[in-house]
Structures are given as C-alpha cells and as structure tokens.
Amino acid sequence: MKLVRRFFIRFSNLTTGPSGDQRLQDEIAEYLAFQTEENMRAGMSSSEARRQATIKLGATEAIRESHHAEYSIPVIENLFFDLRYGIRRLLRSPGFSCIAIATMALGVGATTAIYSVMDATLLRPLPYPHPDELVRIEDDLPGTGAQDVGVSVPEWRDLQDSGVFEAVSIASHGADVNLTGAAQPERLGFKAVTSNYFAVLGEDAQLGRTFNPHDATPGYNLEVVISDGFWRREFGADPQIIGKSLRLDDDEYHVVGVMPHGFRDQGSTSEEQNTELWLGAGYSGLPFPPPQRGVRIRRAVIARLKPGISIVSAQQRLDALVETLKKQYPGDYPLETKWTVRLIPLGQSVVSSVRQSLSLLFGAVGLVLMISCVNVANLLLARASGRAREIAVRQALGAQRKRLIRQLLTESLVLFLLGGIAGFAILFCAQRYLLRLVPESLPHLNEIAIGWGVLAFALVISAAAGTIFGLAPAWLMSRDDLIGTLRQEGRGSSGSRGRSRARQILVISELALSLVLMVAAGLLLRSFWDLYKVQPGFNPERLMAVQTWLPGPNDPALDRYLTATQQSVLVREVLRRSRTLPGVQEVAVSDLAALPLGHNHGAVDPMSLIREGQEVRENLAPVIGGSVVSPEYFHVVGLSLLRGRLFTDQDIQGTPEVAVINQAAARTYWPDQDPVGKRVHLRTKREGNRDFLNSANATWTTIIGVVGDARTESLAEAATPELYRTVYQHGSKGLVIFLRGQLNSSAISALVRQQVQSIDPELPVFNAETLDEVLSASLSVRRFAMEMVAFFAATALLLAGLGIYGTISYLVSEQRRDIAIRLALGAQRGNILRLVLGQGIGLAAFGTGVGLVSALVVSHLMSGLLYGVSPADLPTYGGVTLVLTAVAVAASYIPALRAMRVDPITTLHVE
Amino acid sequence: MKEKQDVLQGTLALMVLKTLDILGAQHGWGIARRIGQISGDILAVNQGTLYPLLLKLEQEGSITSEYGTSENNRRARFYGLTASGRKQLQAETREWEQNAAIIARFFKVKAGDLT
C-alpha cells in the first residue's frame, strides 16, 4: 500500500523537478547555517567553521542526485530523456531517418493492411451474440459420395427435439423475388427462413419485431422483415412502415419489422450478407415440397447449441440420434448410403473459401515486414560505426552498459514506431483507393475498416520489431573495445567484427526471405497464367447474358408461369424479339445453372440419376448437376455436339422427355457404352414423393445427345458431369438470355428490358454482363492474391538489393586501408574488383542456398492454391535464382567500382 | 552493496522515527545531531542518506514537514511524526525486540543444553 502511494506521489513529481530541488537547496543551506553556528560555538573562526560544516555535509552533488532519485522516478525520466535525444539524433541525419522510416512504413503498412482484411473476414466472421454457439448442420451420404444433401423436415423436427440445441432454423441461400407495384419491377434477393431464425442468430429488429419463433405456418406466413438499407432506399425511412404491404412474386406480404442499421446476415458471400428481405416460412406446406422424411431440402440449417454443450459432445449425441433414426426408418436411410449428420462451427463455414488465400497473403506480407526490419537493422548497424568513438568515450567516463543499451534501444524503438505510425497513416488516407483493389466476392468486404484495433496492431508490431531488431545493434554497439577505439587504430577492423558478422547474417537472411517470396510469387503467377489461358470449353467472345425472373406466387393456382408450356410462350416471344435487336446474331435462353461460371454452387439443381437397369433403389442413385436450356443454347455458348442430336422445337411438354449430357457424364455413368438412347429417371427436389419410382410421375427420360465438356463450374475443374434438359419441357423461374453478336454492352440492358417488358411489364431485367466479365470475375480472388504477392515480391527484391548494396559498401569502406595497401603493393585494379564482387556473390550464394530450402518448404504448404504447377517447379526456381543473383551482382558492382578507384596515397596518408 | 544500504536505510528510518517520537518536531540538522548523540557518536549520519530518507518517509505518510522557526530564530523545515508513523514505529520496535530476544537466546546456549 505504501509503495503504491509512493509511486503516485513520485509520478506526480515528474513534472515538478525544480521545486523539489529547490527544497533540498533550502535544507542544505539550513544545515550549513546550523552546523556553522555550532562550530563557531565550539571555538572555530567563522571561515573555518563554514569550511568544516561543508566538509561535514559531504558532496552536494551526490546528495542532490540521491534526493532526486527518491523524489521522482528515474526510469521514466531517463526514458523521456532518451526519447528526446533519439528524436534529435534522427532530425540531425534526415536522409538516414527518411529511408529507415520509409522502409518500416512500407513493411508495417502492408502488414496492417492485410491484417485489417483478415480482421474483418476471418477473426470476426459472426457479429452475433455468443458466436461460438452457432453451428451449421449438414447431412452427408458418403455411401453415394454426396455431401451436404440437405435435411428433411421430419429430421429438422428431430434435431429440435434432440435437446442438443436451443433452436434449429432453416435458411435459404438467397433467392430471387420480383418486387412489383413500384415504377419499375425490381428483382430482389431474399432469404426464406423458419420463424426461429432471428432467435437463433440472437438479433432483434430496430422497428417492429422479427418473426415469432413459435409461428408454425406450414408455407409462407406472408410476413416480411426488411433491412435498414432497403427501408431507407425504398421507403425513405418511413416510420409508419410496419404493416405496409409489398407485392413479391405476385403475393402480398406485410412488413412486420426492420432490422438495425449495420446488421449483416450470415453467409459466405457478400450478396448473402447483404440480404434485404427475410420471408418467414415453415417449409412444410405449399409451395414447399411435402414434409416427408425422404424429401430433402437443400437449404442451410443454422442452429444454436444449448449453452454449455461443446461441439464435440453435441456431435456425439447427434451420432447416437442418427443411429437411432436409421434403425427406426430403414426404408428412408438405406445402410449403403451411410447417412451422417455433421456439425460445423458457423464461423468456419462462412470463411472457408477464402481462408487459404488470406493466410497466404498474411504469410507473404509477414515476410515483407521481416525484410523491412532486417533492412532497418542493417542501417542502424551501419550508423553504429560512426558512433563508435562517442560510445567508447561515454563508457570510459563511466556510463553503465545497461544504461547505454537502454538508450540505444530507445533510439531504435523511436525509429520503428515512427515508421509504423507513418505506415498506418498512409494506409488510413489511402484506404478507399486500396479497398477498390479487393475483389468483390470477398465476404465481409464492407466491414473492412481501418480503426482503433488496426492501429493497436500496427503499434504492437512496430514495438515488437523495434525491440527485436533494435536489441542486436544496441548490444553490439556497447561491446566495443574501449582502448582500441579510442586510439583510433585499425579503424573498423577489429572492434567491429561483431557488427560486421551481424550485418552479413542480416543480409543473408534478407536474401533468403526475398527468394522465398519471389518463388511464391512466381508459382502463383504461373498458376494464374495457366488458369487464365485454360480453354474454358465454351466461347465467351462477343457473348452477353441478361437475367430475368419469373414470379412464383405461393399458391400454384395463381402462377401464370407454372408449367413449362405456359413459360414457353414467354420464352419463344423473348427469343423472337431479342433476335431483332441491333447487332444480335444469335439468342438463347437457359436457367441460371447454365450460365457458365456465373452462378454459385447453390443454383445448380442436383438430380438423382437413376439409370435404367442399374439403380434400383432411388436413394442410392448418384447425383448429377442439371440445368435447363433452350435448343439454341449449345450453339450460342459454343458447346459442340459429339454424338446424337440436340433439342429441337418439337421436344415440348407432352412429348417424350429428352436430355443431353456432356462427355464427362457419359464417361462417368456409361463407360464403354453409347449413352445415346439410354433411359434414366431423374428426380429433383421439387418432385417430392417417396414412391417416386412407382408413381405416375416417374417418366423415363431418354438421352439423345452428348456435347463436349466445358469448365462451367470453375475454371480449375476440368470435367464435371452435366445434364441438360430443354426449357420447353421443364421450365425455370430464373432465366438467362444469351445474346451473341456485335453488341453495345451498355445499351443492351435497356433494349432487352424493353423487349421483355413489352411482353410482360412486371418482369424485372437485370445483371447484364459479358461472358468475359463473368470469366474474369470467377478468377478475381486468385488474381488479387497473385497481384499482392507479386507486389510484395518486387518490394522484397528491391529491399534485398538495397541491403546488399549497403552491406558491400560498408565492407568496402571498412577495408579501405587493406585495399590501399594491396594497391600500393602492386595489385591490379581488376583484382580488387574481383575481390569485392566475390564478397558480394559469396553473400548471395549463402542467401540463395538458405532461401531455396525455405522456399521448397513454403511452396509445399501453398500447394493447395497452385494450379497446374508443382511446388518444386524447376523453371520458376531457376528463374528466380537467376534474377536474385543478377540483382546481387549489380548491387555489389557499384561499391566494387568505388573500391577499385581507391587512391592508395591519399588513403594511407590520412590514416 | 545493495544489502548493506538496505539494512542501513531500514535501521536509520527506525532511528529517525524514534528520535521524532522522543523529541517532537525537529529539523534535518537537529535529527542528524541527536542520532549522533544517542548512538554515542559511533554513528555519523551521512546527509546524502538522510535527506532522501526523510523524503521517502514523507511520501509514505509516516512523517510530515512544514516550515517553522528554530531556537535561534532561523527559518527551517521541521519534521514531525504522524499517527501512522507512530503505529509503524510501534510495530517495528516490537519486531526488533523479538529478533533481539531470539538472537540473545542463541548466544546464551551452551553445548551442554543441546542433546
């Protein structure tokens, strides 16, 4: 307690130094007066009395010092003194300070930038209360090789009753709906969620309410919760919004609540997170398929665990539940499928797609930071040689080594911290520009903010770097041989061997780190290039796609686009009118799944493929991705027919069902056979009937043709089996209109909208893009990672080059005397050049050796991100080594030239 | 080196407090002289140690200081004991006496007393 009190008093005394000293002076004066009087009383003369009194007092300075040490806190005072001194020194050598600060700014700035992206994306993916309780539930059928097949409604109820979860909700991935009634029909994204969804997330509305968790409406309950952004945009933040109605897909919904500003839905894409409408749904009645155990709904199942239950124990209990259910309903869960239920922490599942890329980036930028620090440490050591004399003198005068190290360390810290703050400041000012470089598909893009947390990170990193990289120079600088330095003999040769060795080690590590970065960049570049150049299998040139959405009201009786026949009227009209647009050569229509690379995983309709004579049990059947296209599609998109025939206008509803497959499907499901003519049953999730195979719905579909493979799912995946059906037999609510020709891409959207709305004025037309744009958007995250790493590698190379240049220059200036003596003794200038270059190349060789080994390790860690390039790709490694060696030689050449031109006479004369 | 100073500082603090307790408020020179007298001139108090010690005791709250006039009408800074200082003095006196008693017992022991 007393210590605390003393500390606070001394702390407040930090600023009142002079008054404390004044008090002591008064006391000393009093003492002298008293003692002099005493002495005079004892019989001494006044001058003698005074003198004796002073002797008895002792050394005044020592008293003042120890008094001051008690009065305030010496450690903090010394710190302030060191700081002021350090800053003065930095101001005195502005060139050095600028270079060092700029280098650190670059390193810390880049690291902080990547950290801010990681912070928004990976570290805080779920802005809800108790996020670690949120899980995603996925059903797998490993027996048929299928993952995430969706739950059925009875299973959902079983999960809710299992006692493991607070609540289990179902949410769609984000679907389209038409908003009509306003000036223009608008397409909006919405999520159909069970009524306990918001309870699971733990978020409440700012106006009105969210859905009642106990609402058990089987279909849609015709209530809608809207987002803050939508509320402001469409209704001008009208406070009377609650109860207003919206016409969505021809159904009337009532607004019951508005979510708070800044609320983000969970999801792995920005589009999901920016959902603006939530519709309450029970998933048990129209328009949903019947709630039977065998009918799976492919939606996200989000649940909140009961507090206190860990994921591991929850998983165990679920496994037990699964076993029980399998025994209870053997018909729905045949043993061969090996049905399992998997729990994934929600935070993980929403960022899994970008985690690897971001970790790579963070690793790369960490290397850049290290190289920057090494560079600055090198600079500090270089400056040290100029201060050797000063430090030696101070030590000779009695400065303690610890004190010196503290002071030198403070100087380094000031440098590193200033660099870090500069880096942060630049980042802060440039954040808007930099954010534009980030690909849009990055989740949580709008949450990347340069705020206090990021500043704290920058400061911590700078301080840590300053301590680590400033300690070595400080240590070395205070270890000088006093006598040798003071005599100024052998200038630089003996006393600084430690420094010289340290500099060489630093440069070698710099080179190694740069090599690793450059190898990583090279490999990524090659991957990206290969991917970019890969033949997509379709022809994206001069091809544009525009989307529209047909309304799907909840009551099928009101749906004017219910059957394929009803839709085909629209489709044929759209095709006919689009052909008349200026510049258009060909037109086709398809559903969203057939837009190459332009759809996400959830848009593809997976169907059970039951081949005639092969699959007997429908739940054992393999699953194939299916889409719906118009007959012109294959030609417009550029898929070539390999066998059989394509669709014709005669394949309509009522005539035998036909399908076209791609070559991958043919190879996978009919190996060594001709698939043309074979018959299959196809069952999608829409047709929900357990006895499907025996019911009237089970029609045979005949394979009529095989088309070539195209990389329509992802450029990196070569051949995914695909099955196409004709739009005149199976409709689709989401339509994509393809147009090929000499098109004016900015005008096309309006023109197509005109045409479509002249047929049905309530259809929205949106998302006009060229296929080239779609293609490059699919590569955007990869491209971003590659560009960043390449930038870092270039920076690293530059810094490493500067590092070598600095070190060799320093070596040369150290060895001036040796060189002068050699020249005087008759060495050729060419020999000197070779000598110095040899030193540089020696360093480079060491650095390259260490770097190559590290690069091999790192590239193996990275192999998941590479495409078409092995982690030990010889040309990349060879090329990078060549470049690095060339830079090292060039950087050594200039100091070598300078060494060559040393004039022996003047050099030796001066010494 | 440090240990010697610690012991010195600790016992010096006790002496200062005791002096102030017996004699009432004193100025710095007076304290030094009295301690010298009481110890029979064996201890010569170093002003370099005394003044920082007085400051430390004041910061801890054991003594207070204020300006006053001395016996020969000189202006000086007088130190006085506070209530908590008195309590500290009592506690430390007890501790010293305990330690001294234990040590004394050890010195009185003869070989024959231990078996």
Side-chain angles (χ1 to χ4, degrees):
Chain A
M1 200 47 227
K2 277 198 214 156
L3 261 133
V4 179
R5 192 195 143 112
R6 268 188 72 209
F7 180 78
F8 277 117
I9 296 180
R10 287 166 88 183
F11 193 75
S12 57
N13 282 344
L14 272 174
T15 44
T16 60
S19 70
D21 196 50
Q22 184 58 43
R23 172 180 147 156
L24 179 68
Q25 302 273 41
D26 293 342
E27 291 239 34
I28 293 181
E30 288 160 23
Y31 178 90
L32 287 176
F34 279 121
Q35 190 62 42
T36 314
E37 268 190 35
E38 171 98 351
N39 288 347
M40 281 173 58
R41 264 199 297 249
M44 301 186 206
S45 69
S46 72
S47 55
E48 183 65 21
R50 184 104 193 149
R51 202 182 79 122
Q52 289 296 334
T54 320
I55 294 175
K56 187 149 185 216
L57 176 69
T60 326
E61 278 308 311
I63 299 179
R64 280 177 78 186
E65 271 179 29
S66 41
H67 184 265
H68 190 72
E70 277 300 329
Y71 186 70
S72 75
I73 308 181
V75 174
I76 299 187
E77 277 193 348
N78 286 342
L79 187 65
F80 282 150
F81 179 75
D82 289 341
L83 278 177
R84 281 203 305 266
Y85 185 67
I87 294 180
R88 268 213 312 266
R89 278 201 69 91
L90 285 182
L91 288 175
R92 239 186 282 151
S93 39
F96 163 82
S97 317
C98 282
I99 295 181
I101 292 181
T103 313
M104 273 318 293
L106 181 67
V108 173
T111 311
T112 313
I114 301 294
Y115 171 78
S116 67
V117 173
M118 284 192 84
D119 184 39
T121 314
L122 293 183
L123 296 182
R124 283 181 291 112
L126 298 176
Y128 312 119
H130 301 294
D132 31 300
E133 286 173 2
L134 290 172
V135 291
R136 218 184 126 118
I137 305 177
E138 287 185 6
D139 272 27
D140 296 331
L141 298 175
T144 58
Q147 266 197 339
D148 196 14
V149 293
V151 297
S152 64
V153 173
E155 277 171 29
W156 171 48
R157 297 208 186 104
D158 289 333
L159 287 169
Q160 284 193 306
D161 295 334
S162 69
V164 175
F165 305 104
E166 269 300 319
V168 182
S169 68
I170 304 180
S172 62
H173 290 288
D176 296 311
V177 75
N178 278 357
L179 174 69
T180 46
Q184 271 280 351
E186 195 181 335
R187 170 252 164 206
L188 292 170
F190 78 96
K191 275 201 183 179
V193 298
T194 51
S195 50
N196 55 4
Y197 182 67
F198 290 103
V200 166
L201 289 183
E203 293 284 338
D204 215 356
Q206 63 166 320
L207 267 187
R209 59 171 180 83
T210 58
F211 301 123
N212 179 355
H214 301 290
D215 182 349
T217 315
Y220 282 100
N221 63 3
L222 295 186
E223 291 179 341
V224 59
V225 173
I226 63 178
S227 76
D228 181 79
F230 183 72
W231 177 48
R232 288 177 199 280
R233 206 176 68 233
E234 293 286 325
F235 298 100
D238 177 8
Q240 307 297 328
I241 181 70
I242 308 297
K244 280 222 165 97
S245 68
L246 296 175
R247 243 174 86 85
L248 301 167
D249 267 6
D250 293 346
D251 289 317
E252 207 148 304
Y253 285 79
H254 297 282
V255 178
V256 297
V258 181
M259 291 309 286
H261 179 71
F263 172 73
R264 299 255 172 272
D265 205 348
Q266 54 82 26
S268 49
T269 62
S270 287
E271 198 181 320
E272 266 196 75
Q273 287 161 25
N274 293 332
T275 307
E276 297 190 303
L277 300 176
W278 294 269
L279 306 182
Y283 285 93
S284 321
L286 282 180
F288 299 105
Q292 291 170 345
R293 194 167 281 277
V295 175
R296 294 186 178 283
I297 310 173
R298 276 191 88 231
R299 299 279 194 264
V301 181
I302 315 283
R304 186 177 277 277
L305 291 169
K306 280 216 167 88
I309 301 189
S310 74
I311 286 204
V312 175
S313 64
Q315 179 74 63
Q316 282 170 348
R317 285 165 72 165
L318 276 190
D319 291 339
L321 177 67
V322 161
E323 290 305 309
T324 321
L325 287 175
K326 275 203 260 202
K327 291 200 192 73
Q328 244 184 316
Y329 303 100
D332 290 305
Y333 304 119
L335 286 173
E336 301 85 3
T337 58
K338 302 202 195 80
W339 171 55
T340 51
V341 171
R342 204 165 24 109
L343 287 183
I344 310 166
L346 189 61
Q348 260 180 37
S349 77
V350 299
V351 294
S352 48
S353 58
V354 292
R355 163 170 285 150
Q356 226 187 354
S357 299
L358 276 183
S359 308
L360 166 78
L361 273 186
F362 198 67
V365 90
L367 286 181
V368 173
L369 179 67
M370 276 214 276
I371 295 178
S372 311
C373 294
V374 165
N375 241 349
V376 175
N378 240 348
L379 284 172
L380 284 172
L381 274 180
R383 264 220 319 180
S385 58
R387 293 176 69 181
R389 230 179 124 68
E390 169 212 333
I391 294 181
V393 169
R394 288 168 74 179
Q395 281 188 309
L397 284 177
Q400 282 181 317
R401 191 142 173 246
K402 249 180 29 172
R403 183 78 186 80
L404 269 180
I405 291 181
R406 244 201 328 218
Q407 192 222 314
L408 295 171
L409 191 58
T410 313
E411 281 180 38
S412 307
L413 264 179
V414 167
L415 198 61
F416 277 83
L417 276 173
L418 280 179
I421 294 177
F424 178 80
I426 295 177
L427 195 64
F428 190 74
C429 299
Q431 58 176 319
R432 216 162 304 182
Y433 172 68
L434 288 173
L435 274 177
R436 257 186 262 149
L437 294 173
V438 180
E440 276 177 5
S441 52
L442 202 71
H444 297 269
L445 177 63
N446 24 23
E447 270 161 36
I448 299 177
I450 316 288
W452 292 114
V454 175
L455 175 63
F457 176 79
L459 288 176
V460 165
I461 286 244
S462 314
T467 315
I468 298 174
F469 289 92
L471 201 56
W475 179 270
L476 287 169
M477 280 202 261
S478 53
R479 219 175 49 155
D480 277 343
D481 168 26
L482 289 185
I483 300 181
T485 319
L486 283 173
R487 274 208 223 132
Q488 214 183 17
E489 221 167 56
R491 185 175 164 262
S493 51
S494 60
S496 60
R497 190 171 299 142
R499 281 205 295 276
S500 166
R501 173 89 19 98
R503 292 207 71 192
Q504 290 180 334
I505 293 181
L506 284 178
V507 165
I508 290 175
S509 52
E510 241 184 309
L511 285 168
L513 291 174
S514 309
L515 191 89
V516 171
L517 259 183
M518 281 163 53
V519 164
L523 289 174
L524 282 180
L525 243 155
R526 281 201 67 176
S527 295
F528 183 76
W529 188 249
D530 284 348
L531 210 52
Y532 191 66
K533 282 275 161 240
V534 82
Q535 291 297 348
F538 60 93
N539 184 2
E541 281 174 46
R542 293 174 300 129
L543 187 59
M544 279 198 72
V546 186
Q547 294 180 31
T548 182
W549 176 263
L550 307 178
N554 298 337
D555 184 0
L558 299 173
D559 190 353
R560 57 182 188 279
Y561 295 113
L562 181 63
T563 63
T565 316
Q566 284 168 311
Q567 277 185 31
S568 50
V569 176
L570 174 77
V571 169
R572 287 186 208 272
E573 258 311 290
V574 166
L575 287 173
R576 187 183 71 81
R577 292 193 193 207
S578 306
R579 272 188 212 108
T580 66
L581 291 176
V584 172
Q585 292 168 352
E586 296 178 83
V587 194
V589 158
S590 78
D591 69 351
L592 195 56
L595 178 60
L597 300 172
H599 57 271
N600 55 18
H601 183 60
V604 175
D605 214 4
M607 297 182 292
S608 303
L609 181 75
I610 305 154
R611 291 164 283 182
E612 183 175 27
Q614 294 210 18
E615 270 81 34
V616 185
R617 307 277 314 279
E618 175 253 313
N619 13 30
L620 291 177
V623 171
I624 191 172
S627 52
V628 159
V629 301
S630 72
E632 307 84 351
Y633 170 82
F634 301 102
H635 192 254
V636 169
V637 165
L639 296 172
S640 47
L641 175 66
L642 299 176
R643 322 168 66 99
R645 68 166 178 93
L646 299 174
F647 301 124
T648 65
D649 284 340
Q650 278 76 42
D651 298 308
I652 55 173
Q653 211 170 17
T655 65
E657 302 248 341
V658 288
V660 171
I661 58 175
N662 69 354
Q663 193 158 41
R667 264 198 305 262
T668 317
Y669 298 115
W670 290 275
D672 311 319
Q673 294 170 53
D674 183 7
V676 176
K678 294 276 188 299
R679 300 198 303 170
V680 295
H681 282 303
L682 296 167
R683 201 194 93 167
T684 70
K685 64 179 177 347
R686 263 176 267 244
E687 291 122 28
N689 193 331
R690 237 188 93 192
D691 288 320
F692 172 72
L693 286 178
N694 299 327
S695 76
N697 279 341
T699 53
W700 288 110
T701 307
T702 316
I703 310 289
I704 56 166
V706 180
V707 291
D709 290 333
R711 294 169 189 255
T712 50
E713 293 301 311
S714 139
L715 276 180
E717 285 171 35
T720 21
E722 304 271 347
L723 185 140
Y724 304 92
R725 297 192 288 180
T726 166
V727 72
Y728 300 128
Q729 285 184 336
H730 294 270
S732 164
K733 285 289 161 50
L735 294 178
V736 180
I737 307 169
F738 291 91
L739 308 126
R740 183 184 284 283
Q742 298 292 64
L743 308 166
N744 181 348
S745 48
S746 47
I748 271 295
S749 178
L751 288 172
V752 173
R753 181 177 294 127
Q754 219 176 24
Q755 295 299 334
V756 169
Q757 286 178 350
S758 64
I759 310 172
D760 181 347
E762 286 189 344
L763 296 181
V765 173
F766 51 94
N767 267 1
E769 44 191 359
T770 66
L771 265 290
D772 281 325
E773 283 169 4
V774 172
L775 222 130
S776 60
S778 74
L779 290 174
S780 57
V781 175
R782 262 186 205 270
R783 162 185 271 134
F784 176 63
M786 175 206 80
E787 285 173 349
M788 286 286 112
V789 175
F791 174 68
F792 294 151
T795 313
L797 187 61
L798 179 68
L799 288 176
L802 284 177
I804 287 208
Y805 171 76
T807 305
I808 302 292
S809 303
Y810 173 73
L811 275 174
V812 163
S813 70
E814 263 195 332
Q815 294 172 347
R816 281 180 81 100
R817 285 197 84 215
D818 291 351
I819 296 174
I821 291 174
R822 276 173 215 258
L823 284 174
L825 286 178
Q828 296 288 353
R829 295 213 179 244
N831 291 351
I832 303 293
L833 184 73
R834 262 198 298 275
L835 178 72
V836 177
L837 268 183
Q839 287 174 335
I841 293 181
L843 283 178
F846 256 111
T848 313
V850 176
L852 281 175
V853 173
S854 327
L856 271 172
V857 172
V858 167
S859 62
H860 266 100
L861 290 172
M862 254 179 44
S863 52
L865 288 163
L866 300 178
Y867 171 80
V869 156
S870 100
D873 183 45
L874 217 52
T876 314
Y877 280 73
V880 160
T881 314
L882 228 61
V883 170
L884 197 64
T885 317
V887 167
V889 168
S892 322
Y893 197 70
I894 303 172
L897 281 180
R898 253 195 305 186
M900 233 178 57
R901 297 203 205 102
V902 162
D903 182 6
I905 300 178
T906 31
T907 314
L908 291 171
H909 199 61
V910 158
E911 301 294 328
Chain B
M1 193 56 209
K2 207 171 171 216
E3 233 188 289
K4 216 170 148 197
Q5 225 174 8
D6 268 351
V7 168
L8 224 61
Q9 265 224 339
T11 50
L12 189 57
L14 196 54
M15 288 188 243
V16 166
L17 291 175
K18 190 68 185 173
T19 312
L20 287 177
D21 185 38
I22 300 174
L23 299 172
Q26 279 291 315
H27 45 71
W29 180 76
I31 297 176
R33 210 163 78 106
R34 298 293 187 239
I35 292 180
Q37 280 177 346
I38 295 174
S39 72
D41 279 330
I42 298 176
L43 286 179
V45 180
N46 180 4
Q47 299 306 113
T49 336
L50 181 64
Y51 285 127
L53 175 67
L54 288 173
L55 186 63
K56 178 170 174 234
L57 287 173
E58 188 176 345
Q59 284 175 347
E60 282 177 353
S62 307
I63 61 180
T64 58
S65 76
E66 57 181 10
Y67 272 107
T69 18
S70 72
E71 48 268 7
N72 8 16
N73 277 331
R74 279 194 184 280
R75 194 166 157 271
R77 184 175 274 265
F78 279 81
Y79 295 92
L81 207 56
T82 61
S84 75
R86 192 154 287 133
K87 257 186 276 195
Q88 182 191 352
L89 178 61
Q90 284 167 354
E92 291 207 24
T93 312
R94 258 199 308 272
E95 210 182 303
W96 260 99
E97 285 169 351
Q98 260 179 353
N99 287 345
I102 295 176
I103 298 287
R105 222 182 292 168
F106 266 91
F107 285 158
K108 282 207 218 107
V109 160
K110 289 203 240 338
D113 293 338
L114 301 167
T115 36

